[in-house]
């Protein structure tokens, strides 16, 4: 009891700074979520899943200001034909966005969808609430309660192009909370792209309900601002023969925590989640936390996470595969690897398997290593300079994760972004 | 071309002397062969010349066309024209063979202040050279040496040599692991590069390779020294009698 009382204080302090949007279909979900946060309390270092990542700056009432990154080169996905939805400092920018209309989908802003009845009622806060057990995710519940805006996408067909949510920053202090909901009907398909820095501090939730035979592809680049902080959650639930594939590129940012909670509820479904992360400096902290529940027969899940860390950067991976009783023929693969470019950098990994079915193939592996000296010498002996040879080997290390991006053009954009990061951060 | 004088080398981390004073002069246009018992220091010599870490030069010198090699980074030695075909070529997962070759060729050209090769130009040359060595397109696309058979790895070394057109080529047991036909291909590849301006140092255990790549000079290395130097007939002597007589003669 004493502990709970101590934990309430920062939670109440945070809640006191926030305004809950009132009325409409989301009202009940928001109130329920508020009750959840109050019961759980915001994360503290004593929580099992916050042992390696200090939640302090994510849970304190005021966001730490973050300088804007100056000097910009290319913008990701610029060459891709897509429908653009732009948020500036976490606020929707209608002028910069395209018409929210595309054959095969309906798109609305969360802030505009105020009727009493809405399809999103079955998704908003529902998947988040499902994902609270057995590991509490109070920042996600906080988001459901207070998110000011977001995008609601109902996919009924196969839209001709991806939807791209673009984030831009102009303020050094913005503290943004966005909540996106996506519902894919049976057989529907969507590619969602997200890129850019959201705010000095960002709390983001993405809920994706995937019906039978539907397919969702997600490629996200978390923006290159050095001082930004973000806690993001993806919650998804997959129906029979459906597909979920999500890839995240993280370069820079001082504190990033990406949670991904996946529930395979229909037979023969596939869920892939991957990430490539490059971090430079003692302030850099990146945490991938994944929880995959297999609750159906013959499903496949894949987790592929690669991190390149230098100059005292820290990387964390916590990945769990839970195979429920009856989830036979589960094929689960998990790999998390770090390339430590110096002795000051560190990688902390906590892979977990919990299996209650007997006909299951699950493998997991986690490694930390340095550049392969023999390979480096081989390249140099052919005339490739030390720096270029290191970059080549670093990109090779990241390649397995980047290969999870199926679309070749998108994959090349991601690789190009990583290569230019390596050039800018030459040893 | 390559001039090695009194070269002494020990292991960096251990008190173990491996090369105990090696003298070797390789003139442009000539092929020298080195034979010698296992562990005599042949690979060590080739590594030290190309700049591998882990060795400490405790005496002597090595120059390429008068330029001190031992002070240079490995990439600078490569750009200066030195090439080593590895006894054990390294596998590099995730780096495509083509990307690797093109990066290497252009890095050397850039270091020498020459024009870089365009993608199209490079592709044309590499395809022609690969064909001569019977390296198929698939092998060019795969990651460097990953999943290559022993012989494929050796042919890939010669392809790199052909693309980089070095001045001084060191071949460390390039014949090991090659079948009879592949050995001919490799020898043809080497012979095609035999020109006035280029020197070769061929490390081998077997006369068979020297049937195809005719050496001008043969050296015997034992216990970190060149103990005997002669013509092609020296290789035949080793083939027939082993090293016992030569070692006894010197002792
Ligand atoms: N990095 C190292 N660490 C320990 N010992 C080494 C190292 N490099 C070379 N040696 C030792 O130095 C000696 C010479 O080795 P080297 O590989 O040069 O022989 P070699 O003449 O090429 O032999 P082979 O004909 O078997 O290829 C051997 O005794 C070897 O074990
Ligand atoms: Mg050897």
């Amino acid at each position: 009891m004493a502990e709970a009382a101590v934990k309430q204080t920062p939670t109440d302090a945070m809640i006191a700074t926030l305004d809950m949007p009132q009325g409409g279909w989301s009202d009940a979900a928001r109130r329920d979520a508020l009750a959840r946060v109050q019961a759980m309390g915001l994360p503290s270092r004593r929580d099992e899943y916050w042992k390696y990542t200090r939640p302090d700056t994510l849970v304190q009432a005021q966001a730490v200001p973050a300088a804007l990154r100056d000097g910009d080169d290319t913008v990701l996905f610029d060459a891709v034909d897509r429908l653009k939805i732009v948020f500036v400092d976490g606020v929707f920018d209608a002028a910069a966005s395209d018409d929210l209309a595309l054959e095969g989908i309906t798109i609305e802003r969360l802030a505009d969808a105020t009727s009493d009845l809405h399809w999103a009622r079955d998704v908003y806060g529902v998947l988040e609430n499902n994902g609270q057990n057995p590991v509490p995710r109070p920042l996600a519940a906080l988001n459901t309660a207070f998110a000011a805006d977001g995008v609601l996408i109902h996919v009924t067909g196969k839209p001709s192009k991806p939807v791209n949510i673009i984030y831009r920053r102009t303020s050094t202090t913005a503290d943004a909370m966005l909540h996106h909901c996506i519902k894919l009907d049976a057989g529907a398909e969507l590619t969602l792209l997200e890129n850019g820095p959201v705010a000095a501090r960002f709390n983001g939730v993405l809920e994706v309900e995937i019906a039978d035979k539907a397919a969702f592809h997600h490629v996200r680049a978390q923006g290159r601002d050095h001082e930004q902080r973000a806690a993001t959650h993806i919650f998804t639930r997959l129906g029979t023969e459906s597909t979920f594939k999500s890839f995240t590129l993280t370069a820079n940012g001082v504190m990033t925590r990406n949670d991904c909670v996946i529930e395979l509820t229909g037979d023969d479904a596939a869920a892939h989640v991957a990430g490539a992360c490059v971090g430079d400096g003692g302030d850099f902290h990146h945490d991938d936390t994944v929880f995959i529940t297999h609750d159906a027969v013959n499903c496949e899940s894949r987790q592929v996470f690669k991190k390149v860390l230098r100059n005292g950067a820290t990387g964390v991976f916590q990945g769990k595969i839970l195979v429920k009783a009856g989830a036979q023929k589960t094929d689960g693969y998990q790999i998390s690897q770090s390339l430590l470019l110096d002795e000051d950098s560190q990688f902390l990994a906590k892979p977990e398997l919990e299996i209650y079915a007997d006909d299951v193939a699950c493998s997991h592996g986690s490694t930390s290593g340095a550049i392969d000296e023999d390979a480096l010498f081989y390249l140099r002996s052919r005339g490739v300079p030390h720096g270029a040879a290191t970059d080549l080997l670093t990109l090779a290390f990241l390649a397995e994760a980047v290969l999870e991006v199926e679309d070749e053009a998108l994959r090349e954009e991601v690789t190009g972004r990583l290569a230019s990061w390596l050039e800018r951060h030459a040893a | 071309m390559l001039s090695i004088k009194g070269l002494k080398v020990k292991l960096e981390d251990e008190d173990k002397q491996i090369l105990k004073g090696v003298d070797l002069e390789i003139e442009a246009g000539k092929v020298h062969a080195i034979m010698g018992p296992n562990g005599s220091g042949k690979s060590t010599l080739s590594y030290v010349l190309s700049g591998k870490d882990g060795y400490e030069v405790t005496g002597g010198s090595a120059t390429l066309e008068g330029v001190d090699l031992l002070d240079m980074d490995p990439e600078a030695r490569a750009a200066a024209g030195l090439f080593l075909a590895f006894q054990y070529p390294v596998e590099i997962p995730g780096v495509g063979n083509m990307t690797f070759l093109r990066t290497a060729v252009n890095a050397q050209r850039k270091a020498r202040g020459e024009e870089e090769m365009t993608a199209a130009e490079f592709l044309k040359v590499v395809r022609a050279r690969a064909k001569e060595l019977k390296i198929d397109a698939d092998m060019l696309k795969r990651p460097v040496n990953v999943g290559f058979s022993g012989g494929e790895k050796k042919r890939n070394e010669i392809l790199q040599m052909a693309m980089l057109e070095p001045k001084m080529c060191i071949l460390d047991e390039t014949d090991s692991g090659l079948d009879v036909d592949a050995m001919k291909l490799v020898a043809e590849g080497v012979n095609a590069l035999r020109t006035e301006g280029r020197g070769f140092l061929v490390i081998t255990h077997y006369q068979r390779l020297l049937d195809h790549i005719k050496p001008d000079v043969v050296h015997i290395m034992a216990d970190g020294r060149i103990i005997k130097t002669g013509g092609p007939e020296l290789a035949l002597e080793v083939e027939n009698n082993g090293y016992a007589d030569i070692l006894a003669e010197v002792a």
Side-chain angles (χ1 to χ4, degrees):
Chain A
M1 286 313 281
E3 193 186 39
V6 170
K7 283 180 77 170
Q8 289 304 325
T9 317
T11 308
D12 290 340
M14 170 72 97
I15 288 170
T17 67
L18 298 166
D19 291 320
M20 186 187 291
Q22 300 293 315
W25 59 271
S26 67
D27 211 55
R30 289 179 185 273
R31 286 173 200 287
D32 287 352
L34 176 59
R36 279 199 291 282
V37 187
Q38 284 169 328
M40 290 184 270
L42 289 176
S44 82
R45 281 206 100 181
R46 268 166 297 177
D47 294 341
E48 194 189 343
Y49 283 87
W50 288 90
K51 224 163 46 193
Y52 302 134
T53 297
R54 289 187 88 103
D56 316 30
T57 54
L58 298 172
V59 302
Q60 69 193 38
Q62 296 297 324
V64 182
L68 298 171
R69 180 177 174 278
D70 53 28
D72 216 345
D73 23 25
T74 54
V75 177
L76 215 56
F77 309 138
D78 238 14
V80 179
D81 181 24
R82 79 271 205 227
L83 185 142
K84 295 191 296 250
I85 304 175
V86 179
F87 286 87
V88 178
D89 299 319
V91 178
F92 178 71
D93 183 338
S97 300
D98 290 332
D99 247 3
L100 301 187
L102 188 62
E103 174 107 28
I105 61 179
T106 63
I107 308 172
E108 273 169 283
R109 283 176 56 204
L110 174 61
D112 284 348
T114 50
S115 59
D116 285 337
L117 270 179
H118 198 279
W119 62 263
R121 214 176 44 177
D122 299 334
V123 180
Y124 190 89
V126 174
L127 301 190
E128 172 260 298
N129 185 31
N130 270 348
Q132 296 290 353
N133 201 352
V135 180
R137 301 170 202 279
L139 283 166
L142 183 77
N143 180 300
T144 299
F146 293 102
D149 206 350
V151 180
L152 308 173
I153 303 177
H154 184 193
V155 191
T156 51
K158 298 179 178 176
S160 58
K161 53 187 175 186
V163 170
N164 186 183
I165 304 178
I166 299 167
Y167 306 104
R168 294 188 189 132
R169 266 187 76 202
T170 60
S171 144
T172 56
T173 53
D175 189 9
M177 220 181 265
L178 296 173
H179 194 121
H180 307 307
C181 284
I182 298 177
K183 183 177 180 208
L184 291 105
D185 287 352
E189 283 175 15
L190 179 72
T191 296
L192 176 70
L193 309 175
E194 288 185 273
N195 65 295
V198 186
R201 182 168 70 180
F202 176 49
N203 177 335
V205 168
L206 170 65
E207 291 174 295
V208 190
E209 176 88 81
I210 308 173
D212 297 351
K213 295 192 159 89
F216 177 70
H217 288 89
H218 180 219
V219 179
R220 163 169 76 162
Q222 295 189 292
R224 287 167 292 167
D225 284 22
H226 293 287
E227 296 177 4
Q228 64 183 356
R229 291 179 162 78
T232 75
H233 288 81
I234 297 174
F235 297 94
T236 187
R237 189 158 63 183
L238 285 89
T240 303
E241 289 177 45
S242 68
T243 307
F244 168 88
K245 292 188 179 176
S246 175
F247 171 86
T248 300
L249 166 67
T250 311
N252 307 340
V254 282
M255 164 63 67
T256 310
R257 162 79 172 233
N258 293 328
D259 279 48
C260 185
V261 183
I262 298 172
E263 208 187 341
L264 293 143
T265 58
D267 296 345
D268 306 307
H272 296 188
V273 54
C277 148
V278 286
D280 191 348
D283 289 337
F284 180 89
H285 186 104
H286 180 94
D287 177 338
D288 285 301
T289 295
V290 180
F291 198 110
I292 300 183
T293 305
H294 281 262
D295 196 9
V297 174
N298 199 32
C299 290
E300 184 212 335
S301 71
R302 253 176 97 76
Q303 303 169 55
V304 181
F305 288 89
K306 300 265 190 165
K307 294 177 170 52
V308 174
L309 304 166
R310 76 196 317 166
N311 294 323
T314 300
V316 175
F317 174 79
Q318 311 183 95
K320 177 153 182 173
I321 306 175
L322 168 64
V323 182
K324 289 201 175 172
Q328 302 296 6
K329 306 228 181 305
T330 285
D331 178 2
Y333 174 77
Q334 176 194 90
I335 184 120
S336 67
Q337 296 182 309
S338 73
L339 177 64
L340 304 176
L341 294 177
D342 51 64
E343 284 172 5
D344 299 329
S345 302
Q346 62 169 342
F347 177 57
L348 304 158
K350 184 177 164 194
E352 291 178 281
L353 289 176
E354 199 176 320
I355 300 175
Y356 297 102
D358 47 27
D359 183 11
V360 163
C362 278
S363 66
H364 66 102
S366 181
T367 63
S368 272
I371 287 278
D372 178 347
E373 287 297 328
D374 287 336
L376 186 64
F377 174 64
Y378 191 68
L379 290 170
R380 294 179 75 192
S381 79
R382 298 309 184 236
V384 184
H386 189 278
T390 305
D391 289 356
L392 209 54
L393 294 173
T394 303
L395 282 177
F397 165 79
L398 291 166
E400 188 189 357
V402 177
L403 269 174
E404 295 291 313
V405 179
E406 267 177 25
D407 183 274
E408 193 177 337
L410 295 177
R411 197 165 63 229
E412 272 170 21
E413 291 224 23
V414 168
T415 302
R417 177 51 53 95
L418 286 166
S420 65
W421 188 92
L422 290 171
E423 264 168 43
R424 277 199 307 278
H425 294 254
Chain B
M1 162 128 306
L2 179 66
S3 173
I4 304 170
K5 292 200 171 84
L7 189 63
K8 291 190 180 134
V9 171
K10 69 179 274 292
L11 291 178
E12 208 168 53
D13 299 335
E14 264 176 70
D15 208 14
K16 183 171 175 185
Q17 195 75 31
I18 299 177
L19 300 184
K20 301 175 178 172
V22 173
D23 292 287
L24 203 56
E25 288 289 336
I26 298 173
E27 311 78 12
K30 296 283 193 253
V31 175
H32 286 230
I34 294 192
M35 303 180 84
N38 292 131
S40 54
K42 305 181 297 295
S43 292
T44 301
L45 175 64
S46 70
Y47 282 146
V48 170
L49 291 173
S50 36
K52 193 175 189 209
D53 280 343
Y55 303 99
E56 188 186 326
V57 176
T58 55
S61 67
T63 58
L64 182 66
E65 294 186 309
V67 182
D68 181 7
L69 280 178
L70 300 178
D71 266 353
M72 297 161 91
D73 283 334
E75 53 268 37
R77 302 182 197 202
L82 187 75
F83 179 88
L84 168 64
F86 283 54
Q87 180 171 2
Y88 304 107
V90 180
E91 297 188 3
I92 312 184
V95 178
N97 214 8
M98 276 298 226
T99 309
F100 161 64
L101 272 170
R102 196 151 83 89
T103 307
V105 167
N106 281 336
Q108 290 202 13
R109 288 184 166 223
K110 202 171 154 197
R112 291 194 291 258
E114 296 166 12
E115 188 108 350
E116 293 186 22
M117 244 183 179
T118 65
E121 203 183 332
F122 173 81
L123 206 61
K124 208 176 121 199
V125 180
V126 81
R127 282 203 180 125
R129 298 276 153 85
K131 201 173 161 203
E132 285 160 14
L133 288 160
K134 294 214 164 71
I135 291 174
D136 60 32
D138 178 54
M139 259 171 73
L140 290 176
K141 278 191 218 133
R142 271 154 55 187
V144 179
N145 293 326
V146 176
F148 287 25
S149 75
E152 285 169 345
K153 284 181 182 166
K154 296 304 177 77
R155 273 185 279 153
N156 199 29
E157 294 292 289
I158 302 305
L159 174 64
Q160 292 167 39
M161 186 170 87
M163 291 304 299
L164 293 166
E165 301 182 326
K167 289 178 190 155
M168 179 67 223
C169 310
I170 305 173
L171 279 65
D172 191 357
E173 293 197 29
T174 301
D175 52 336
S176 68
L178 291 179
D179 65 39
V180 180
D181 296 327
M183 168 123 54
K184 274 192 194 139
L185 281 177
V186 163
E188 279 164 22
V190 171
N191 289 331
L193 288 169
R194 278 180 86 157
T195 57
E196 287 288 295
R198 192 170 278 136
F200 285 88
L201 179 60
V202 179
I203 299 171
T204 183
H205 286 293
Y206 304 107
Q207 163 62 31
R208 206 174 51 168
L209 178 71
L210 304 178
D211 286 340
H212 299 290
I213 305 172
K214 298 254 175 341
D216 299 294
V217 184
V218 175
H219 308 274
I220 307 297
M221 184 178 239
D223 193 24
R225 285 189 188 86
I226 303 288
I227 57 163
K228 189 165 184 179
T229 295
E233 71 288 347
L234 193 51
L236 284 168
E237 190 187 327
V238 169
E239 179 89 351
N240 294 329
N241 308 327
Y243 294 108
D245 294 353
I246 300 172
L247 291 172
E249 196 181 302
V250 176

